[in-house]
């Protein structure tokens, strides 16, 4: 199959680049090994829109973080992605920490982050009374925000798809070579592709793609971060994101509300040998808990509803690598996109997409489709809006997920979005069905049934997250025929 | 306001059905039951094994048979049950908002409400078990729904974590259906299920029960490929070196049930941190006037017969409240003593002219012991038993004259012999 442009990686970076390129006259295809967009680091991170005080001035990280953070409020509004801006504290316990925080304040100023200042103990505790009273001082960043990383990715992908970008999911790239015909030849486990322009946004897989293309060898360190997610309760102990002083491994363990009103604890930071190993470990989770206690002495894991991990693609030298690939004509990349990658993604999209469009002389389309507009979630509606919604579509009257109050109408809609859900996890991330305190115990059989109906597949083919992650192994009749051990 | 009713019952499982039948038989006609599922019967619909109804009917019924008796009785009495209807909120002033495809959004004002929403299973996340988040991990009840209601097998080689009753029942059910159940693993040194289920569901099928063990790792990227089980010490911490690997495609969790009280909390009902259900008096009245609770939403029962009994009382009390006949009375606190956890009711009305059953979970296994109820220094009830175990709810009854004589806080404790 031939495309003008192939992007490998359907995470937040790849989808942001695809969305920018969809404004131009070009056939764009996005390929990802995951069964859904946002299947890698984009689905499992802190969901923070970082203010931009912790990246070193002069780096791409600093520049794109600040640009991205500025784009977020309007972009979320435009795309219908949840966003809030509760602010953040970085807390210090001794004079050494204070020196670090003061350095961060200076850095904030150099990076152009507004409003960052030091609060003394009393002021900080007045803002967040549940915080460790041993705190000495805190950096306050009023522009720190929260978003839903996977919902941002879905929205970018949907908008790109509405403007003609094709998504090929569950397809793994096995080889990339530049042919004598001047085209890039991409071999996957499913197909052979050719393209004029090849864009590597493959996250933890980006170094191996880069090296396959023949770029100057790069190494990505797979740095896993483990998290605890706590149940939504009406009054969370913290309103802001609370960071501890950063270390060389990253920003440290945070305690933060999520944009949906859960509480998140994490991440750990462990370099691991397998870029796909998103398991959690007893040690990692214990580390998160212990570190969280420094911020929140009364840390309560009783309300834990799940634990998970994500893998950051840490490039050895520490900065983002964005641009054309030296020595590889027609090849571009965004490599080493770790934190603040989610924040920077919209800016990376504009930068890399813009660079490709200009260097490849792409012509702007005369008209661009507006973003896909998802209907307001049922649980956020007023009673009048709910009555109206059910009157128009009775499926709004069928509540499927009782914990998060998600209706059948919303689940069917999620499957029919431009880049629709095809798995239980896909429905969960698009609608929140199964995100709640019972973790899908009640609703997953019904969600599976709806997926099977809408996708025209048997219940036995429904998967949790693609591949062999089938929910069911047979019917009770098969089992009685002795086909099982 | 769409509608006003005298008694509104939330949930048409065994608790809700018993409550509404009792209210109707007590003379209330303007009644309504709201049920979120397509059919009445609650969790009993998927409990196709027998063993239900021994106390109430003196015979062994399956879950659906037990439920059908109440469903038939409710139909006979002409009680309206709206199914496929989800309650979105309950207010302190007993205004109930619910939604269904058929009736749209409804707001209903009730004179009295009976909360009978049941309970849910504790999910994996609540345990903090590390490992991957692959397919093939189900709560036992979800697996039961797939097998018994949908006709699908969730797996072929199964390990069960937790020895709750649903897990034990599913060990047998999966085995009968051709799956291989490799082990049932329980963190505690005793089972949390009924003894009869250990015998009939594990022992009869040679399924090993590993007490004082837990799952310490979950493996498999897409579908589950195995779990690691380890022995735990007296602090329930895994002992390094004791690991056993199981090659399995399914992990069922039967690690506890939690009363489902989100609606109750929204109404401002005070919950007990021990039972996780409402705090009630002997009339099953919660802290909010006119709101009553019964069944597994109040505290998790083992036997549906007890649920029905409790719910009949709740239904009658709600009926009395709706008629304006349930008077406020001075109340006496009931406290957990040694060896006792989560006594229900937590309060007894001083002038209650009837006997009261006190129900609780023993905190540990006690053999040849007695449950003793005291009021100050005075013993007001005593019940001996060969065994008290956390897996079986204990009941001790206060006779009407004992209740009449109460003059201060009551304590329930277990006394070793």
């Amino acid at each position: 199959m031939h495309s003008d442009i192939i992007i490998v990686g359907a995470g937040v970076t790849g989808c942001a680049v695809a969305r920018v390129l969809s404004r131009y006259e070009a056939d764009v295809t996005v390929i990802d090994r995951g069964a859904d967009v946002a299947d890698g680091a984009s689905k499992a991170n802190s969901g923070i829109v970082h203010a931009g005080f912790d990246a070193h001035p002069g780096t791409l990280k600093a520049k794109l973080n600040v640009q991205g953070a500025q784009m977020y409020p309007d972009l979320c509004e435009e795309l219908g992605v949840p966003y809030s801006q509760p602010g953040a504290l970085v807390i210090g316990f001794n004079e050494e920490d204070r020196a670090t925080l003061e350095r961060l304040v200076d850095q904030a100023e150099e990076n152009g982050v507004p409003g960052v200042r030091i609060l003394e103990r009393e002021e900080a505790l007045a803002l967040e009374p549940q915080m460790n009273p041993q705190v000495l001082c805190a950096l306050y960043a009023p522009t720190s925000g929260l978003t839903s990383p996977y919902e941002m990715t879905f929205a970018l992908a949907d908008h790109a798809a509405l403007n003609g970008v094709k998504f090929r999911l569950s397809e793994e790239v096995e080889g990339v070579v530049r042919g004598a015909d001047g085209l890039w030849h991409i071999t996957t486990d499913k197909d052979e592709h050719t393209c004029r322009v090849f864009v590597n946004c493959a996250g933890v897989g980006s170094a191996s793609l880069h090296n396959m293309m023949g770029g100057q060898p790069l190494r990505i360190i797979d740095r896993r971060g483990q998290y605890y997610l706590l149940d939504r309760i009406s009054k969370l102990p913290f309103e802001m994101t609370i960071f501890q002083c950063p270390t060389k491994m990253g920003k440290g363990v945070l305690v933060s509300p999520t944009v949906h009103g859960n509480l998140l604890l994490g991440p750990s930071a462990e370099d691991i040998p397998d870029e796909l190993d998103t398991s959690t470990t007893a040690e990692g989770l214990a580390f998160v808990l212990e570190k969280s206690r420094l911020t929140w002495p009364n840390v309560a894991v009783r309300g834990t509803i799940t634990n998970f991990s994500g893998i950051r693609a840490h490039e050895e030298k520490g900065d983002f690598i964005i641009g054309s690939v030296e020595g590889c004509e027609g090849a571009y990349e965004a490599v080493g996109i770790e934190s603040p990658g989610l924040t920077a993604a919209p800016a990376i999209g504009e930068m890399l997409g813009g660079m490709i469009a200009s260097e490849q002389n792409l012509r702007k389309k005369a008209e661009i489709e507006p973003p896909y507009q998802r209907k307001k979630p049922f649980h956020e509606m007023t009673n009048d809006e709910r009555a109206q919604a059910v009157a128009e579509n009775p499926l709004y009257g069928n509540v499927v997920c009782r914990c998060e109050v998600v209706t059948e109408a919303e689940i069917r809609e999620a499957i029919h979005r431009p880049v629709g859900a095809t798995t239980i996890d896909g429905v969960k991330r698009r609608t929140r069905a199964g995100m709640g305190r019972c973790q899908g115990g009640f609703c997953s059989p019904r969600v599976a049934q709806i997926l099977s109906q809408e996708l025209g597949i048997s219940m036995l083919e429904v998967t949790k997250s693609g591949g062999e992650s089938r929910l069911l192994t047979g019917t009770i009749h098969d089992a009685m025929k002795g086909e099982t051990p | 306001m769409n509608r006003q009713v005298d008694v509104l019952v939330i949930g048409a499982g065994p608790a809700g059905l018993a409550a509404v039948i009792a209210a109707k038989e007590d003379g209330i006609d303007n009644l309504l039951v709201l049920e979120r599922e397509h059919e009445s019967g609650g969790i009993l619909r998927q409990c196709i094994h027998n063993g239900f109804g021994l106390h109430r009917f003196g015979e062994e019924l399956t879950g659906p048979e037990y439920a059908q008796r109440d469903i038939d009785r409710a139909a006979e009495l002409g009680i309206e049950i709206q199914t496929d209807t989800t309650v979105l909120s309950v207010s302190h002033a007993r205004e109930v908002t619910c939604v269904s495809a058929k009736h749209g959004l409804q707001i209903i004002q009730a004179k009295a409400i009976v909360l009978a929403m049941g309970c849910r299973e504790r999910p994996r996340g609540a345990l903090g078990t590390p490992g991957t988040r692959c397919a093939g991990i189900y709560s036992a009840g979800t697996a039961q729904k797939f097998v018994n209601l949908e006709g699908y097998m969730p797996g072929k080689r199964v390990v069960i974590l937790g020895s709750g009753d649903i897990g034990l029942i599913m060990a047998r059910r999966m085995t009968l259906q051709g799956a291989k159940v490799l082990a049932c693993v329980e963190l505690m040194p005793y089972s949390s299920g009924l003894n009869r289920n250990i015998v009939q569901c594990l022992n009869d099928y040679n399924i090993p029960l590993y007490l004082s063990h837990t799952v310490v790792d979950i493996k498999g990227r897409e579908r589950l490929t195995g779990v690691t089980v380890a022995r735990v010490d007296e602090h329930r911490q895994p002992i390094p070196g004791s690991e056993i690997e199981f090659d399995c495609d399914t992990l069922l969790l039967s690690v506890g049930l939690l009363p489902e009280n989100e609606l109750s909390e929204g109404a401002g009902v005070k919950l007990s941190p021990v039972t996780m259900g409402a705090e009630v008096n002997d009339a099953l009245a919660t802290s909010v006037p006119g709101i009553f609770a019964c069944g597994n939403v109040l505290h998790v029962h083992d036997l549906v017969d007890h649920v029905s009994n409790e719910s009949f009382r709740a239904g009658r009390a709600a009926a009395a409240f709706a008629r304006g006949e349930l008077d406020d009375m001075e109340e006496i606190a009931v406290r957990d003593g040694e060896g006792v956890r989560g006594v229900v009711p937590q309060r007894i009305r001083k002038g209650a002219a009837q006997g009261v059953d006190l129900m609780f979970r023993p905190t540990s296994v006690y053999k040849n012991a007695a449950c003793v109820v005291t009021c100050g220094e005075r013993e007001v009830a005593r019940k001996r038993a060969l065994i008290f175990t956390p897996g079986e709810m204990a009941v001790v009854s206060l006779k009407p004259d004992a209740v009449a004589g109460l003059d201060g806080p009551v304590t329930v404790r277990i006394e070793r012999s």
Side-chain angles (χ1 to χ4, degrees):
Chain A
M1 228 187 76
H2 180 77
S3 310
D4 297 328
I5 302 173
I6 286 181
I7 299 170
V8 176
V12 69
T13 310
C15 290
V17 174
R19 174 170 171 270
V20 169
L21 288 173
S22 75
R23 299 174 192 149
Y24 298 88
E25 301 284 358
D27 292 329
V28 182
T29 301
V30 179
I31 300 177
D32 196 292
R33 62 185 165 194
D36 202 345
V37 302
D39 200 53
S42 301
K43 72 166 187 296
N45 58 70
S46 307
I48 310 290
V49 180
H50 292 285
F53 53 79
D54 38 15
H56 289 291
T59 59
L60 268 181
K61 275 187 178 172
K63 180 179 138 195
L64 296 168
N65 180 341
V66 174
Q67 280 178 14
Q70 284 165 357
M71 293 167 76
Y72 254 86
D74 289 346
L75 184 64
C76 288
E77 174 77 32
E78 184 193 350
L79 298 177
V81 173
Y83 173 80
S84 63
Q85 201 178 86
L89 296 179
V90 187
I91 55 177
F93 292 94
N94 49 45
E95 289 303 327
E96 196 185 329
D97 288 349
R98 183 192 289 275
T100 305
L101 297 181
E102 281 167 354
R103 186 176 55 75
L104 291 178
V105 172
D106 292 344
Q107 228 169 246
E109 197 169 318
E110 265 189 81
N111 289 347
V113 185
V116 176
R117 62 191 173 94
I118 301 279
L119 306 181
E120 292 308 320
R121 178 175 181 273
E122 299 306 317
E123 209 180 342
L125 282 172
L127 285 173
E128 292 290 8
Q130 295 289 318
M131 199 164 69
N132 189 345
Q134 308 278 305
V135 68
L136 178 71
C137 58
L139 174 149
Y140 173 54
T143 59
S144 181
L146 304 173
T147 190
S148 164
Y150 38 86
E151 285 175 80
M152 171 50 81
T153 312
F154 296 144
L156 293 167
D158 281 344
H159 195 195
L162 282 176
N163 284 293
V165 174
K166 292 180 205 70
F167 283 81
R168 295 185 56 117
L169 301 171
S170 300
E171 183 163 341
E172 181 152 16
V173 174
E174 291 172 342
V176 183
V177 285
R178 193 167 155 86
D181 52 7
L183 298 176
W184 287 98
H185 291 247
I186 293 119
T187 311
T188 70
D189 57 353
K190 302 246 165 69
D191 217 337
E192 300 279 336
H193 301 265
T194 52
C195 61
R196 203 154 50 77
V197 176
F198 180 79
V199 190
N200 173 9
C201 298
V204 291
S206 58
S208 51
L209 268 189
H210 171 100
N211 297 340
M212 225 184 260
M213 283 188 287
Q216 289 296 312
L218 278 181
R219 194 164 85 93
I220 290 282
I221 295 163
D222 303 315
R223 186 164 289 173
R224 182 167 64 189
Q226 304 188 29
Y227 294 90
Y228 271 114
L229 185 72
L230 275 58
D231 198 359
R232 291 209 289 183
I233 46 172
S234 47
K235 179 82 179 93
L236 288 177
F238 296 96
E239 285 177 17
M240 285 191 268
T241 301
I242 317 292
F243 295 97
Q244 294 169 3
C245 273
T247 70
K248 66 178 192 307
M249 289 294 273
K251 295 185 182 76
V253 169
L254 58 79
V255 175
S256 178
T258 69
V259 77
H260 292 294
N262 296 84
L263 198 72
L264 190 66
L265 313 179
S268 60
E270 321 134 49
D271 295 343
I272 54 163
D274 178 352
E275 68 186 38
L276 293 175
D277 183 8
T278 55
S279 55
T280 53
T281 62
E283 300 74 35
L285 293 171
F287 171 86
V288 167
L289 207 56
E290 191 188 316
K291 288 287 174 187
S292 301
R293 200 162 278 134
L294 186 62
T295 299
W296 182 25
N298 295 326
V299 61
V301 279
R302 195 172 182 191
T304 300
I305 54 176
T306 189
N307 58 63
F308 64 90
S309 79
I311 301 173
R312 316 168 182 87
H314 176 70
E315 198 279 323
E316 278 179 308
K317 292 179 204 69
D319 200 5
F320 295 159
I321 299 173
I322 297 170
S324 53
V325 185
E326 209 185 309
C328 301
E329 207 190 321
Y332 297 83
E333 65 190 355
V335 174
I337 311 300
E338 59 180 334
S339 179
L342 171 67
T343 312
I348 297 173
E350 296 296 338
M351 175 185 166
L352 189 56
M355 180 190 290
I356 294 166
S358 119
E359 291 185 8
Q360 301 295 324
N361 297 314
L362 301 180
R363 204 153 44 90
K364 275 219 156 175
K365 285 176 184 166
E367 274 185 43
I368 300 172
E369 291 291 326
Y372 173 74
Q373 285 306 326
R374 199 188 150 197
K375 293 206 180 60
K376 190 173 183 180
F378 184 78
H379 79 96
E380 289 175 15
M381 293 180 187
T382 63
N383 276 345
D384 287 344
E385 290 170 330
R386 287 172 173 170
Q388 181 72 24
V390 186
E392 284 169 13
N393 178 359
L395 297 185
Y396 273 105
N398 295 334
V399 175
V400 174
C401 167
R402 56 177 81 161
C403 303
E404 298 290 313
V405 197
V406 182
T407 65
E408 183 178 345
E410 294 165 280
I411 291 168
R412 293 194 190 265
E413 182 206 359
I415 299 168
H416 292 289
R417 280 171 72 154
V419 182
T422 57
T423 63
I424 297 281
D425 282 353
V427 168
K428 173 168 104 174
R429 295 193 188 110
R430 284 172 182 79
T431 65
R432 295 190 63 73
M435 280 278 185
R437 51 186 70 91
C438 91
Q439 289 286 290
F442 285 116
C443 68
S444 59
R446 179 71 185 125
V447 171
Q449 218 172 44
I450 296 172
L451 276 166
S452 116
Q453 290 166 358
E454 294 293 331
L455 300 175
I457 58 176
S458 117
M459 280 288 279
L460 302 181
E461 293 171 285
V462 175
T463 66
K464 178 177 184 288
S465 54
E468 294 304 311
S469 66
R470 292 176 215 282
L471 295 191
L472 302 166
T473 56
T475 68
I476 55 173
H477 307 290
D478 299 337
M480 292 315 282
K481 284 180 212 145
E483 289 175 19
T484 55
Chain B
M1 191 75 47
N2 298 78
R3 188 167 169 183
Q4 301 200 10
V5 298
D6 288 343
V7 174
L8 184 137
V9 178
I10 305 177
L17 289 169
V20 77
I21 288 168
K24 174 76 184 181
E25 288 176 343
D26 210 48
I28 300 287
D29 290 322
N30 188 5
L31 294 157
L32 178 62
V33 184
L34 302 175
E35 166 56 46
R36 59 191 157 203
E37 293 293 323
H38 187 58
E39 285 169 63
S40 301
I43 205 68
L44 290 177
R45 293 175 56 232
Q46 67 187 53
C47 299
I48 63 170
H49 52 284
N50 62 350
F52 301 92
L54 277 167
H55 297 254
R56 184 173 161 203
F57 299 114
E59 52 186 312
E60 264 197 281
L61 304 175
T62 64
E65 284 171 337
Y66 186 105
Q68 198 61 44
R69 295 200 176 184
D70 288 334
I71 293 169
D72 290 346
R73 178 66 183 146
E76 209 173 279
L77 292 169
I79 291 165
E80 181 187 358
I81 302 176
Q82 283 189 12
T83 56
D84 292 315
T85 302
T86 301
V87 175
L88 300 171
S89 68
V90 177
S91 80
H92 194 269
R94 301 187 300 278
E95 188 179 272
V96 173
T97 307
C98 61
V99 71
S100 67
K102 192 171 170 194
H103 301 281
L105 191 90
Q106 301 176 87
I107 296 172
I108 302 165
Q109 177 66 53
K111 284 187 186 162
I113 293 174
V114 181
L115 303 171
M117 293 87 76
C119 59
R120 65 165 172 270
E121 299 177 277
R122 269 175 89 202
R124 171 190 173 187
L127 309 179
T129 309
T132 60
R133 285 160 304 287
C134 52
I137 305 167
Y138 297 99
S139 61
T142 306
Q144 189 177 47
K145 184 172 185 183
F146 271 128
V147 177
N148 291 350
L149 293 184
E150 318 272 343
Y152 292 104
M153 287 295 279
K156 299 177 179 179
R157 289 175 65 81
V158 185
V159 168
I160 298 176
L161 174 60
S163 58
D165 289 313
I166 315 175
L168 301 175
I169 293 290
M170 283 311 289
R172 174 174 66 185
R173 182 77 183 109
M174 297 287 284
T175 304
L176 290 174
Q177 214 60 55
K180 175 75 185 160
V181 179
L182 304 164
C184 178
V185 179
E186 168 60 55
L187 179 69
M188 304 304 286
Y190 47 80
S191 160
S192 56
L194 296 171
N195 190 50
R196 73 172 191 215
N197 285 334
I198 300 282
V199 174
Q200 295 173 10
C201 300
L202 297 184
N203 300 355
D204 286 359
Y205 297 89
N206 295 318
I207 298 167
L209 172 62
Y210 291 82
L211 295 174
S212 297
H213 279 72
T214 192
V215 171
V216 293
D217 197 14
I218 292 172
K219 285 170 274 192
R221 193 150 280 163
E222 295 178 339
R223 176 84 195 193
L224 185 70
T225 57
V227 298
T228 308
V229 168
R231 180 185 290 280
V232 297
D233 62 22
E234 63 270 35
H235 307 293
R236 301 183 214 167
Q237 294 305 308
I239 301 170
S242 68
E243 292 85 359
I244 316 167
E245 302 291 334
F246 287 96
D247 165 14
C248 58
D249 64 5
T250 307
L251 175 66
L252 298 188
L253 303 178
S254 184
V255 289
L257 299 168
L258 300 169
E260 208 166 38
N261 273 298
E262 285 67 34
L263 293 174
S264 326
E265 283 185 287
V269 168
K270 185 173 183 226
L271 300 184
S272 151
V274 182
T275 60
M276 310 294 281
E279 285 190 8
V280 292
N281 67 14
D282 58 290
L284 288 313
T286 69
S287 62
V288 177
I291 300 186
F292 300 78
C294 56
N296 285 350
V297 77
L298 177 60
H299 55 154
V300 175
H301 294 252
D302 322 307
L303 297 178
V304 67
D305 308 65
H306 288 163
V307 167
S308 300
N309 271 334
E310 179 176 280
S311 305
F312 284 135
R313 284 188 284 121
R316 282 193 292 271
F321 186 92
R323 282 194 301 267
E325 292 170 5
L326 196 71
D327 298 329
D328 278 345
M329 293 183 211
E330 199 185 326
E331 292 178 334
I332 286 163
V334 183
R335 295 174 182 157
D336 294 352
E338 200 194 329
V340 167
R341 210 179 128 73
V343 180
V344 172
Q346 289 86 354
R347 297 173 274 125
I348 297 174
R349 292 169 303 158
K350 224 170 166 178
Q354 53 190 343
V356 175
D357 285 347
L358 298 173
M359 308 175 94
F360 64 91
R361 299 258 164 203
T363 54
S364 184
V365 177
Y366 296 88
K367 289 189 174 159
N368 280 318
C371 165
V372 180
V373 185
T374 52
C375 178
E377 296 295 303
R378 194 158 52 87
E379 182 175 314
V380 291
R382 170 178 288 263
K383 180 184 183 179
R384 293 202 56 80
L386 289 176
I387 187 164
F388 286 102
T389 161
E392 306 196 13
M393 189 182 274
V395 186
V396 56
S397 302
L398 290 185
K399 299 214 166 63
D401 55 330
V403 174
L406 296 177
D407 54 3
V410 167
T411 302
V412 185
R413 64 183 161 87
I414 290 184
E415 192 178 273
R416 295 173 194 271
S417 53

